[in-house]
Amino acid sequence: REARAAKGADEAVLFLSGGDDHTGTPFDELLGGNGAEFKLDPVYRAYSAANLDAAVIGNHDLDKGTEILAKGIAQDVRFPVLSANLHGSAVLRPGQIHRALLGVVRGYRVGIVGLTTTNSPKQPEDPGFRITPPLEALQHLLPALEPLCDVVILLTHVGYEDEPAIYGDESDRFLARKARELTSKPVLVVGAHSHSVLNEKGLEVREGDVPILQGGQRGQFLGKSRLDLVRSGDTMHLANAEAFLVPLKKRDDRVAADNPDYGRFEHDGDYDEVFEKSTVDPLFALLSEKMSETLGAVTVDGLDADRTLVERYTGECALANFMNEAIVRRAVTFSEKPVDLALINASGVIAGVDKGSLAYSDWYAVIPFADTLQVGEMTGAQIRDMVVNNAKRIIRPDEAAGMDLKNTYVGRGFLHFSGALRYTIRLGRDAGETVAENITLHGKPIEEQLDRVFTVVFNSYIGNGGGDSCWNGKKIPDIAAEVTGFDIGSLPKIDTGLIYRNEIIADIRTQGGIDAAKGAAL
């Protein structure tokens, strides 16, 4: 709003979104689990109120299905939603998603093409829906836009890097090169999907003469860019380009005004209070209603906080078992290969649930973290080593006797596994002598499967290094013996971007609640 108010007579200001606007916070719940539960699209409603000019469809905008996306666009969108390579939907109505946008702003003819990664969720309820390669769409559109544009913006959700195993031939860098072959007009790429932090201190990333922009993930930054265009005859040239990232501040009112770090935190006046009250506060009110929504029923005893907060550190934990089994069940929606094993760290479970009705807020208390799901591969030998290492992290009975485990955080990174893995812990005299024995996976001794490659899934807290709760490759400090944490973080893996908590909630809804038959048992 300030940029638009301050623009000069020959300046145009565009406000754009690179997609993936609907995952990662409790506000996702306002979308509902299906079309019948849909209330509103919180982000699209806020974007509309903020006068967004255009958004591209990201892969996670499709997580809840085309029906919910269509409802969100129909009800809450007042701007063009773009993707040139989405086709065949029986649910998304004509005109809801546009292939490209052509507009005249302050005399500049601007063409914007939206492109979505092919690495997006399948839509079993919309079987005709398909995503074709971004390059095919670009090759069709750019020659048609060429005579109508002064400048071309590729609004992409395909990922920045040239990493064939992940982004293949649809990265921003690849598409920037191809765009330059297809048009002589100035080109700008505004991207997302790979969560890359680009141009933090100034414009550093170009592919030839094409600037490429991206601003990290989950609201880390607001990306800003300036293009200076000069007309020569009938042709527009890019005379100069600038870009940088504006960090979004966190709030902590405990930081006093005389603290040197005071300016790094958000304070009243740093944001649009009118917008906050008119647009954001009503969403919080609706979310409060959603937090009280019933997800299902807990039909088994023994998942309460008194037991769970002790069991998570001292042995098998029934609630953690359920969570791992739920992720294995959900894996058919996000993993190309069947998942052999799911695991979570003990401190990823911070509350229990009581028998009876289960509300959304009850489960949010168990796992409030916005961890994502990561899929990796491990050999049988690596799984054996991980399990042996894990046994040494357990809180031993003599330790537990002197600890209030219900109110104590223990950062050893003790892991819990899905039911395909079975093993026995023999404690020995101390952690150094503690071993795991009788390890089986899918009913077969692990020693007979050391060379086999298994698909595993875990939360990003573990996969990204896990701070003080995993000790990947580092000595675990609160164990008397010399124990180094098994390095899960170094495994080859792909981050799905799916929120761990949301996938568990989806499973609870599907199952109708939590019970022993679905994994909530020892």
Side-chain angles (χ1 to χ4, degrees), residues 365 395 414:
I395 294 290
F414 185 67

Side-chain angles (χ1 to χ4, degrees), residues 78 221 423 453 460 463 496 505:
R78 298 200 305 271
F221 301 97
Y423 69 107
V453 176
S460 56
T496 67
I505 288 172

Side-chain angles (χ1 to χ4, degrees), residues 14-273:
L14 296 178
F15 180 27
L16 306 172
S17 166
D20 270 9
D21 294 314
H22 299 122
T23 56
T25 77
F27 284 104
D28 307 352
E29 291 302 305
L30 295 178
L31 294 166
N34 54 55
E37 297 175 352
F38 176 86
K39 287 192 173 183
L40 59 86
D41 191 311
V43 176
Y44 280 170
R45 180 168 291 192
Y47 278 167
S48 295
N51 295 314
L52 190 80
D53 288 300
V56 67
I57 295 295
N59 55 313
H60 292 303
D61 295 324
L62 296 162
D63 282 350
K64 288 180 174 283
T66 53
E67 181 187 13
I68 286 179
L69 178 60
K71 283 180 175 287
I73 294 174
Q75 177 176 297
D76 293 301
V77 163
R78 298 200 305 271
F79 52 86
V81 178
L82 305 179
S83 182
N85 57 320
L86 303 188
H87 308 281
S89 174
V91 179
L92 289 159
R93 299 196 301 275
Q96 286 196 304
I97 296 180
H98 306 275
R99 297 182 182 181
L101 172 65
L102 183 62
V104 180
V105 189
R106 288 289 190 272
Y108 300 108
R109 300 178 303 165
V110 180
I112 305 178
V113 179
L115 298 168
T116 302
T117 174
T118 56
N119 183 25
S120 296
K122 297 179 176 63
Q123 302 297 317
E125 305 301 321
D126 191 4
F129 177 83
R130 67 190 190 280
I131 304 177
T132 56
L135 179 59
E136 291 182 11
L138 199 63
Q139 289 171 327
H140 280 93
L141 278 170
L142 271 193
L145 289 174
E146 164 79 18
L148 305 175
C149 295
D150 295 318
V151 60
V152 173
I153 298 174
L154 303 186
L155 188 58
T156 71
H157 195 95
V158 299
Y160 164 66
E161 297 93 335
D162 279 332
E163 294 185 25
I166 302 176
Y167 303 104
D169 60 356
E170 58 180 55
S171 72
D172 284 336
R173 295 182 63 184
F174 175 82
L175 294 174
R177 293 194 294 271
K178 293 299 181 181
R180 177 48 64 231
E181 296 173 6
L182 295 167
T183 178
S184 61
K185 302 297 173 65
V187 176
L188 171 70
V189 176
V190 179
H193 183 49
S194 56
H195 302 173
S196 305
V197 177
L198 306 181
N199 312 305
E200 188 171 3
K201 304 299 182 183
L203 180 58
E204 301 170 336
V205 180
R206 296 175 184 256
E207 187 64 37
D209 65 345
V210 178
I212 299 177
L213 314 180
Q214 197 171 145
Q217 61 178 325
R218 307 189 198 287
Q220 284 178 286
F221 301 97
L222 173 67
K224 301 186 76 171
S225 179
R226 176 187 175 96
L227 304 183
D228 293 328
L229 303 175
V230 176
R231 190 181 300 278
S232 176
D234 295 331
T235 305
M236 193 74 74
H237 298 285
L238 179 61
N240 185 50
E242 301 173 356
F244 59 97
L245 301 179
V246 180
L248 299 190
K249 298 177 180 179
K250 296 183 178 181
R251 184 111 183 179
D252 190 340
D253 291 337
R254 298 170 299 177
V255 178
D258 59 355
N259 189 306
D261 291 330
Y262 182 80
R264 294 196 302 107
F265 292 91
E266 178 196 88
H267 306 288
D268 293 345
D270 287 338
Y271 56 90
D272 187 331
E273 294 185 24

Side-chain angles (χ1 to χ4, degrees), residues 494-511:
I494 292 177
D495 195 312
T496 67
L498 296 170
I499 303 301
Y500 185 98
R501 177 185 64 248
N502 291 358
E503 293 305 299
I504 302 286
I505 288 172
D507 182 78
I508 292 172
R509 284 186 169 131
T510 300
Q511 307 300 331

Side-chain angles (χ1 to χ4, degrees), residues 153-414:
I153 298 174
L154 303 186
L155 188 58
T156 71
H157 195 95
V158 299
Y160 164 66
E161 297 93 335
D162 279 332
E163 294 185 25
I166 302 176
Y167 303 104
D169 60 356
E170 58 180 55
S171 72
D172 284 336
R173 295 182 63 184
F174 175 82
L175 294 174
R177 293 194 294 271
K178 293 299 181 181
R180 177 48 64 231
E181 296 173 6
L182 295 167
T183 178
S184 61
K185 302 297 173 65
V187 176
L188 171 70
V189 176
V190 179
H193 183 49
S194 56
H195 302 173
S196 305
V197 177
L198 306 181
N199 312 305
E200 188 171 3
K201 304 299 182 183
L203 180 58
E204 301 170 336
V205 180
R206 296 175 184 256
E207 187 64 37
D209 65 345
V210 178
I212 299 177
L213 314 180
Q214 197 171 145
Q217 61 178 325
R218 307 189 198 287
Q220 284 178 286
F221 301 97
L222 173 67
K224 301 186 76 171
S225 179
R226 176 187 175 96
L227 304 183
D228 293 328
L229 303 175
V230 176
R231 190 181 300 278
S232 176
D234 295 331
T235 305
M236 193 74 74
H237 298 285
L238 179 61
N240 185 50
E242 301 173 356
F244 59 97
L245 301 179
V246 180
L248 299 190
K249 298 177 180 179
K250 296 183 178 181
R251 184 111 183 179
D252 190 340
D253 291 337
R254 298 170 299 177
V255 178
D258 59 355
N259 189 306
D261 291 330
Y262 182 80
R264 294 196 302 107
F265 292 91
E266 178 196 88
H267 306 288
D268 293 345
D270 287 338
Y271 56 90
D272 187 331
E273 294 185 24
V274 174
F275 183 86
E276 186 85 4
K277 290 178 180 178
S278 64
T279 302
V280 180
D281 285 355
L283 296 177
F284 272 107
L286 287 170
L287 181 62
S288 179
E289 296 176 16
K290 194 69 179 180
M291 293 291 275
S292 64
E293 178 190 336
T294 298
L295 298 178
V298 180
T299 62
V300 61
D301 290 313
L303 307 181
D304 55 275
D306 286 344
R307 288 191 61 173
T308 296
L309 296 183
V310 174
E311 286 180 346
R312 61 179 176 162
Y313 293 137
T314 59
E316 199 178 354
C317 175
L319 190 57
N321 284 352
F322 169 78
M323 294 165 68
N324 282 319
E325 293 304 320
I327 292 301
V328 171
R329 286 190 289 268
R330 291 292 299 171
V332 297
T333 68
F334 61 77
S335 176
E336 294 183 359
K337 299 178 181 179
V339 164
D340 297 290
L341 186 65
L343 53 112
I344 188 172
N345 56 299
S347 62
V349 185
I350 66 168
V353 293
D354 296 321
K355 191 174 182 179
S357 180
L358 180 72
Y360 179 88
S361 58
D362 296 327
W363 191 256
Y364 193 83
V366 174
I367 181 165
F369 315 110
D371 291 358
T372 54
L373 283 171
Q374 296 183 347
V375 179
E377 292 185 339
M378 297 180 73
T379 64
Q382 288 174 316
I383 290 174
R384 177 197 59 191
D385 294 346
M386 174 179 65
V387 174
V388 170
N389 182 262
N390 191 56
K392 300 178 185 299
R393 304 178 186 223
I394 197 169
I395 294 290
R396 301 162 62 84
D398 56 319
E399 294 178 290
M403 301 173 70
D404 176 14
L405 287 176
K406 184 179 175 183
N407 297 299
T408 302
Y409 170 79
V410 180
R412 291 183 183 176
F414 185 67

